[in-house]
Amino acid sequence: MNNKIVSEENFNKTIDNQQVSLLILKNKNGYVCQITNFGARIVSFFVPMNETKLDVVLGHDFIENYENDDFYLGAIAGRYANRIANGKFSLDDKEYSLLVNNGPNALHGGKKGFDKVVWKAQPFLNENEEEAIELRYLSKDGEEGYPGNLQVKVIYTLTNNNEIKIDYKAVTDAKTVLNLTNHAYFNLKGAGEGSIVSHDLILNADYFTPTDAGAIPTGEIRDVSNSPMDFRVSHKIGERINDDYIELIQGFGYDHNWVLNKENNQLSWVATAYEAATGIEMKVFSTEPGVQFYTGNYLDVKNGKESKTYPSRSGFCLEMQHFPDSPNQASFPNSVLNPGEIYTQTTIYQFKVR
């Protein structure tokens, strides 16, 4: 069972002339969350289990492994999370070309996205006496091909309701596109404790966005009815994951955007995951219009925490987001940020043991 706190000493390193650190959040109920300012990543999340604590987030024990991480473990993905087709989009008739890093497409911000930079970190107590960390990053005009100097702030709070709450805020000095998410992989059996296919999942979504073979949305918004994409009632993640359904065949499992049932940008319930073997339940709430449900199909981590391996489908992501390739899809929710506007969003991962 995975219950060892990662050592702060293992993250004491200078990268890009900035100090990397590992910070710890605790709440009154014994929950513990570890955050590093390298990539603004969730390193560990510990759920109290009788005499021990179970770490349910995939990650590494050493900063060097995060430097070489290709899977965005626990990271904030940006400037544009998910994919942009052919690494190109236009604003006001001007075309921008991004660094491509996923076949012909740009993924999660490019070759050096927000997951590979050092953020400025400041721990604090909020008005409810809950422990929190504010992380800031300035993404300069032209970084990875994106226009505008973008100032980003992310606050992680470990609440006394046993939630890891993520608040995002950003402003720009030039018109740009923006889509931020957290890319934590969860395993409610414990990180490195096997597959997530036994988890039960509910998604509050009547529709999803089908993709082509390159995982780019076709523009269609399809009803999930009578398909293995329907999680409106609880299903095991692995129950239909290998069905003869083109979306699952192309993605080697679930790796799609679901269109959430909601009005505007209200904070509302998105999903519930549950693992009977441990009794751990995770509920997700967000202000975002979509969620990328990813079953870690491409995971192949040899050096996880406590020397554990994370093979395919050993973690799942619920990435709260605007839709993939929105800058090139006029019918999708707007992902353009203008000067004078303030980008905000909130995501909550709430835990309990049934």
Side-chain angles (χ1 to χ4, degrees), residues 24 126 186 227 230 345:
I24 297 180
N126 70 8
F186 298 98
S227 82
D230 189 349
Q345 63 141 303

Side-chain angles (χ1 to χ4, degrees), residues 212-270:
D212 63 18
I216 297 296
T218 62
E220 178 188 359
I221 294 179
R222 185 183 299 174
D223 193 323
V224 299
S225 298
N226 304 309
S227 82
M229 314 304 276
D230 189 349
F231 282 91
R232 291 175 295 186
V233 297
S234 181
H235 288 276
K236 301 285 185 190
I237 288 176
E239 181 181 331
R240 302 163 298 172
I241 199 169
N242 296 316
D243 279 12
D244 185 15
Y245 186 72
I246 187 61
E247 297 295 326
L248 297 177
I249 294 169
Q250 288 179 163
F252 300 101
Y254 294 104
D255 188 11
H256 296 80
N257 171 68
W258 271 256
V259 179
L260 296 172
N261 298 334
K262 62 164 49 193
E263 294 180 8
N264 303 318
N265 59 347
Q266 63 187 14
L267 182 67
S268 60
W269 169 69
V270 171

Side-chain angles (χ1 to χ4, degrees), residues 86 106 129 182 184 194 205 216 228-229 262 310 328 346 349:
N86 301 310
E129 298 293 303
N182 179 273
I216 297 296
M229 314 304 276
K262 62 164 49 193
Y310 306 143
N328 297 311
T346 297
Y349 298 101

